[in-house]
């Protein structure tokens, strides 16, 4: 579904992505790992239209989408759960979820997807009238993902969903990510917990200073000496 070809992205004069290419097929879970500053978040922001590349292409089902406004990209079937949650803190849980469906008019489908989100994250049903800013960090992360799912995406972009979570919640979060993929939603996941991320990935990419250093299946990267040494604590 998604293809990035030789992307070059800048922040001012800082060259953040240097010829990055990757693909995500329909229903596939693709993981991007790398150190802080490698360009992982920049990559996701470029896909969802927050940043525009100076060179290269972002294609979605064969259509060029690099340069489109974020809301137009959402309508094509790509939604994002951003880093640091970024929920609407003064709005209720329900209002946040409704905002995720802002571009939709299919009321039956919206109600169905709301029940799906509550099935994935039962605590959101219990907290639906609560102001989002008063939720715990883990609950806000669930809400950010649920809000993205309310757009009924064919591809979900996830930026560090385990960041700041207690260890017991991290395992639960990765189980939920796997369940979302099993429902047929493609996922492009940026994650520093490389061990857990590669353990559930169909394929993965290793970014280093804005370039793709390695790519392969989740199992191949998990067994790669360089990956084990740099990201998995191996020898």
């Amino acid at each position: 579904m998604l293809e990035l070809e030789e992307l070059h992205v800048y922040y001012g004069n800082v060259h953040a992505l240097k010829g990055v290419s990757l693909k995500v097929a329909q229903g596939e879970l693709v993981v991007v790992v790398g150190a802080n500053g490698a360009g992982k978040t920049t990559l996701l922001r470029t896909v969802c239209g927050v940043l525009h590349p100076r060179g290269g292409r972002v294609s979605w089902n064969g259509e060029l989408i690099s340069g489109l406004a974020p809301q137009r990209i959402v309508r094509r079937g790509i939604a994002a759960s951003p880093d640091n949650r970024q929920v609407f803190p003064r709005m209720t849980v329900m209002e946040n979820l409704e905002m995720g469906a802002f571009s939709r008019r299919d009321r039956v489908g919206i109600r169905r997807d709301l029940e799906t989100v509550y099935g994935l994250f039962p605590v959101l049903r219990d907290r639906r009238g609560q102001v989002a800013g008063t939720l715990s960090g883990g609950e806000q992360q669930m809400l950010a993902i649920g809000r993205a799912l309310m757009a009924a995406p064919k591809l979900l972009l996830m930026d560090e969903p385990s960041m700041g979570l207690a260890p017991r919640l991290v395992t639960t979060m990765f189980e939920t990510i796997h369940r979302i993929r099993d429902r047929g939603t493609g996922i492009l996941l940026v994650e520093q917990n490389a061990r857990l991320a590669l353990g559930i990935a169909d394929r993965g990419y290793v970014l280093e200073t804005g370039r793709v250093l390695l790519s392969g299946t989740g199992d191949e990267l998990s067994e790669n000496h360089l990956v084990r040494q740099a990201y998995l604590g191996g020898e």
Side-chain angles (χ1 to χ4, degrees), residues 51-73:
L51 297 175
H52 295 165
R54 291 193 193 174
R57 297 167 52 92
V58 180
S59 300
W60 175 247
N61 292 323
E63 176 192 5
L64 182 67
I65 62 170
S66 41
L68 293 183
Q71 65 270 23
R72 295 181 65 186
I73 292 175

Side-chain angles (χ1 to χ4, degrees), residues 18-191:
K18 305 167 185 175
V20 170
S21 298
L22 64 77
K23 296 180 180 180
V24 183
Q26 184 173 356
E28 194 175 32
L29 199 168
V30 175
V31 169
V32 179
V33 299
N36 286 334
K40 304 186 303 296
T41 295
T42 299
L43 186 151
L44 293 188
R45 289 177 177 171
T46 304
V47 172
C48 65
V50 175
L51 297 175
H52 295 165
R54 291 193 193 174
R57 297 167 52 92
V58 180
S59 300
W60 175 247
N61 292 323
E63 176 192 5
L64 182 67
I65 62 170
S66 41
L68 293 183
Q71 65 270 23
R72 295 181 65 186
I73 292 175
V74 171
R75 291 189 179 101
R76 280 163 171 75
I78 302 175
S81 172
D83 59 334
N84 298 319
R85 292 114 190 186
Q86 298 186 33
V87 299
F88 299 105
R90 297 183 181 180
M91 299 171 67
T92 67
V93 166
M94 176 61 82
E95 289 168 339
N96 269 267
L97 294 174
E98 289 172 342
M99 286 296 293
F102 80 95
S103 64
R104 300 175 62 183
R105 298 294 180 267
D106 56 323
R107 295 183 180 181
V108 173
I110 290 172
R111 288 196 297 270
R112 179 196 62 228
D113 289 341
L114 182 61
E115 289 303 315
T116 297
V117 169
Y118 286 154
L120 291 169
F121 305 112
V123 69
L124 296 183
R125 185 193 299 274
D126 300 335
R127 302 278 196 272
R128 60 186 180 274
Q130 186 171 330
V131 174
T134 65
L135 298 175
S136 70
E139 290 165 349
Q140 289 189 23
Q141 188 63 271
M142 296 173 195
L143 179 57
I145 297 170
R147 182 182 59 194
L149 290 174
M150 288 301 296
K154 296 180 178 65
L155 177 66
L156 176 61
L157 311 178
M158 306 183 78
D159 196 349
E160 304 285 5
S162 73
M163 181 179 291
L165 299 186
R168 62 180 179 83
L169 290 179
V170 171
T171 301
T172 301
M173 180 60 68
F174 276 91
E175 290 172 351
T176 302
I177 292 169
H178 203 277
R179 290 171 62 194
I180 293 170
R181 195 284 303 272
D182 286 347
R183 294 176 57 249
T185 303
I187 298 174
L188 180 57
L189 170 65
V190 160
E191 179 56 57

Side-chain angles (χ1 to χ4, degrees), residues 168-235:
R168 62 180 179 83
L169 290 179
V170 171
T171 301
T172 301
M173 180 60 68
F174 276 91
E175 290 172 351
T176 302
I177 292 169
H178 203 277
R179 290 171 62 194
I180 293 170
R181 195 284 303 272
D182 286 347
R183 294 176 57 249
T185 303
I187 298 174
L188 180 57
L189 170 65
V190 160
E191 179 56 57
Q192 285 204 11
N193 192 324
R195 185 179 302 278
L196 286 177
L198 291 174
I200 65 172
D202 295 308
R203 293 187 303 105
Y205 295 82
V206 178
L207 276 190
E208 187 173 282
T209 59
R211 292 184 172 90
V212 174
L213 178 66
L214 294 165
S215 64
T217 68
D219 289 340
E220 288 170 346
L221 292 179
S222 293
E223 296 301 320
N224 182 278
H225 173 70
L226 293 176
V227 175
R228 292 178 66 85
Q229 188 174 52
Y231 303 108
L232 303 180
E235 296 182 354

